[in-house]
Amino acid sequence: MVTGATSGIGEACARRFALGGYNVIVTGRREEKLHALQAELEQVGAEVLALTFDVRDREACHKAVDSLSGQWAEVDVLVNNAGLALGLDKEYEGSFDDWDTMVDTNIKGLLNMTRMIVPGMVARNRGHIINIGSVAGDAAYANGNVYCATKAAVKALSDGLRIDVAESAVRVTNLKPGLVETNFSVTRFHGDQSKADNVYKGIKPLTGDDIADVAFYAASAPEHVQIAEVLILATHQASGSVIVRK
């Protein structure tokens, strides 16, 4: 199951796991894009279930998870990908609405899906949760305040969950990408494409496919191997705030 599968890293993960032999549940808010992805993945031989809902809506999450039956009822891998950044304001000038959206999506949405899917994994004594965190969760960068805080929460929640399931064979991975060129920056700048393009100017950024490859590697590791955390950066990026542009 991949949340936020309508674009970017989530879409790439759905495609990579489908090509790797998995049947895939794709979720997101944009029904048309989900069904287009479903049709594409079915052409490569994967069985695909598309569920349209917003991870911020706990009732909708419950309804979606409760609808799973047959082969879909047992989720082997949960990719908690749904997330976003909004704005680059100073913390004391930030938008309350942007804050609510980031906290509700990046933290509460991840918790909603974890709470509803992981009990089944523990009961079956198998499963893997892959959380898409960020280099921003390691240290704050200028004007990243609330977004960085949400990704620091993803790290803490990943670490805490790994402790909670340690008696079982369930594995937990936190992936921490740096600069990835998706619609992430377009969303952050509320649709301003020119501002988004400047984020990646002068450096070859990562792609969603790069992150999906790491996610698939973690899921494909032998059962006794738990890839707990991976920091993935572009070659000329040293940290969340150190980027060499040419």
Side-chain angles (χ1 to χ4, degrees):
M1 173 181 276
V2 182
T3 68
T6 54
S7 65
I9 294 173
E11 182 179 359
C13 283
R15 188 175 290 116
R16 181 67 185 86
F17 277 85
L19 290 171
Y22 282 79
N23 296 326
V24 185
I25 303 169
V26 291
T27 86
R29 294 176 297 160
R30 291 175 286 179
E31 186 171 23
E32 185 176 338
K33 290 209 69 175
L34 277 182
H35 287 303
L37 178 61
Q38 179 181 19
E40 174 196 333
L41 300 184
E42 287 176 342
Q43 289 184 345
V44 300
E47 292 187 46
V48 182
L49 176 65
L51 296 175
T52 306
F53 67 95
D54 189 335
V55 295
R56 296 176 296 175
D57 184 338
R58 189 166 295 156
E59 183 177 344
C61 293
H62 270 298
K63 184 176 180 180
V65 172
D66 288 346
S67 74
L68 300 176
S69 61
Q71 66 167 323
W72 304 111
E74 297 186 358
V75 176
D76 297 306
V77 180
L78 169 64
V79 180
N80 273 320
N81 165 78
L84 76 169
L86 290 171
L88 272 173
D89 299 314
K90 294 182 185 299
E91 189 170 325
Y92 59 85
E93 297 175 336
S95 161
F96 289 109
D97 289 340
D98 285 353
W99 293 351
D100 286 344
T101 300
M102 286 186 283
V103 169
D104 288 347
T105 306
N106 300 358
I107 300 176
K108 293 182 181 178
L110 179 147
L111 283 171
N112 286 340
M113 298 310 298
T114 299
R115 179 64 181 85
M116 295 174 199
I117 296 296
V118 176
M121 293 181 173
V122 173
R124 294 187 296 273
N125 197 36
R126 71 175 190 275
H128 196 160
I129 304 93
I130 301 175
N131 291 331
I132 306 300
S134 172
V135 62
D138 287 345
Y141 54 75
N143 300 329
N145 43 78
V146 174
Y147 174 69
C148 294
T150 66
K151 289 304 183 177
V154 171
K155 172 176 172 52
L157 292 171
S158 300
D159 291 345
L161 180 61
R162 195 177 303 111
I163 293 167
D164 291 338
V165 301
E167 291 185 355
S168 74
V170 176
R171 301 184 292 185
V172 181
T173 298
N174 180 28
L175 299 185
K176 304 186 300 184
L179 280 176
V180 183
E181 188 168 13
T182 63
N183 66 339
F184 175 88
S185 290
V186 176
T187 300
R188 165 167 255 168
F189 293 113
H190 299 281
D192 190 323
Q193 185 67 56
S194 62
K195 285 185 178 180
D197 290 343
N198 283 334
V199 173
Y200 311 106
K201 190 174 182 180
I203 186 172
K204 184 173 182 179
L206 302 167
T207 68
D209 291 339
D210 295 326
I211 311 307
D213 283 341
V214 180
F216 188 80
Y217 170 78
S220 303
E223 290 183 0
H224 71 287
V225 177
Q226 180 171 212
I227 309 298
E229 188 171 278
V230 184
L231 176 65
I232 312 119
L233 301 175
T235 298
H236 295 291
Q237 179 178 16
S239 69
S241 57
V242 177
I243 299 167
V244 178
R245 301 179 188 274
K246 297 183 179 180

